[in-house]
């Protein structure tokens, strides 16, 4: 058997205003989860990232999108991580802008087959790259 995870994901400090609830099979990798999260929030997928299992940026307990020798990789399948209901971990995306998405495991159920990830609920919007006001000059 394999698991299906129901995850609530929100940009740090916006848990009531902006969030997505995602269902994803345990046979998908952390790379797949990152792609689903970024697509759900309409972010551009072009930066390095890490999943911080202790909710701290650059911690030693994380899975890297570009790991060095022996470091845990985001190619790891969700079922191999040992996630538990109510567990919280983070996606640290874009090491320049330091986007942090908090992820809470809401539910884990056994399923008979791998299914495509799906956003089942969402609220609000957070723009990745806010546009500059017209006429604003930062080089004065």
């Amino acid at each position: 058997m394999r698991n299906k995870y129901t995850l609530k994901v929100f940009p740090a400090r916006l848990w009531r205003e902006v969030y997505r609830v995602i269902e994803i099979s345990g046979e998908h990798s952390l790379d797949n989860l990152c792609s689903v999260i970024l697509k759900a929030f309409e972010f551009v997928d072009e930066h390095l990232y890490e999943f911080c299992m202790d909710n701290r940026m650059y911690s030693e307990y994380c899975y890297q999108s570009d790991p060095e020798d022996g470091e845990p990789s985001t190619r790891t399948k969700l079922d191999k991580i040992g996630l538990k209901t109510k567990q919280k971990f983070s996606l640290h995306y874009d090491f320049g802008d330091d986007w942090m998405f908090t992820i809470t495991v809401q539910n884990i159920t056994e399923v008979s087959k791998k299914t495509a990830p799906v956003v089942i609920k969402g609220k609000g919007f957070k723009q990745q790259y806010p546009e500059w006001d017209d006429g604003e000059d930062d080089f004065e």
Side-chain angles (χ1 to χ4, degrees), residues 25-50:
S25 169
E27 291 187 12
H28 284 94
S29 68
L30 287 167
D31 286 326
N32 299 130
L33 178 58
C34 180
S35 293
V36 171
I37 291 170
L38 295 177
K39 184 176 180 180
F41 286 97
E42 299 179 21
F43 273 41
V44 177
D45 188 356
E46 61 184 14
H47 298 285
L48 294 174
Y49 55 91
E50 64 184 354

Side-chain angles (χ1 to χ4, degrees), residues 17-31:
E17 295 87 22
V18 181
Y19 66 85
R20 304 293 181 267
V21 178
I22 296 168
E23 289 184 344
I24 186 168
S25 169
E27 291 187 12
H28 284 94
S29 68
L30 287 167
D31 286 326

Side-chain angles (χ1 to χ4, degrees), residues 30-125:
L30 287 167
D31 286 326
N32 299 130
L33 178 58
C34 180
S35 293
V36 171
I37 291 170
L38 295 177
K39 184 176 180 180
F41 286 97
E42 299 179 21
F43 273 41
V44 177
D45 188 356
E46 61 184 14
H47 298 285
L48 294 174
Y49 55 91
E50 64 184 354
F51 281 90
C52 309
M53 304 314 290
D54 58 2
N55 288 319
R56 295 191 338 230
M57 286 187 222
Y58 309 113
S59 78
E60 292 187 24
Y61 187 41
C62 63
Y63 293 83
Q64 299 284 329
S65 62
D66 187 21
E68 294 184 13
D69 294 331
E71 290 182 337
S73 166
T74 54
R75 291 185 298 276
T76 303
K77 305 288 184 202
L78 292 173
D79 275 344
K80 299 292 184 188
I81 295 172
L83 296 173
K84 306 286 184 215
T85 303
K86 298 184 182 180
Q87 179 178 349
K88 290 185 179 185
F89 61 106
S90 299
L91 167 61
H92 176 203
Y93 177 73
D94 184 352
F95 300 156
D97 286 342
D98 287 326
W99 282 98
M100 288 295 285
F101 291 90
T102 301
I103 304 164
T104 303
V105 180
Q106 291 187 317
N107 196 23
I108 303 171
T109 55
E110 285 188 5
V111 294
S112 59
K113 63 180 181 171
K114 181 178 179 178
T115 58
V118 61
V119 176
I120 61 170
K121 187 175 180 182
K123 178 182 176 186
F125 178 75

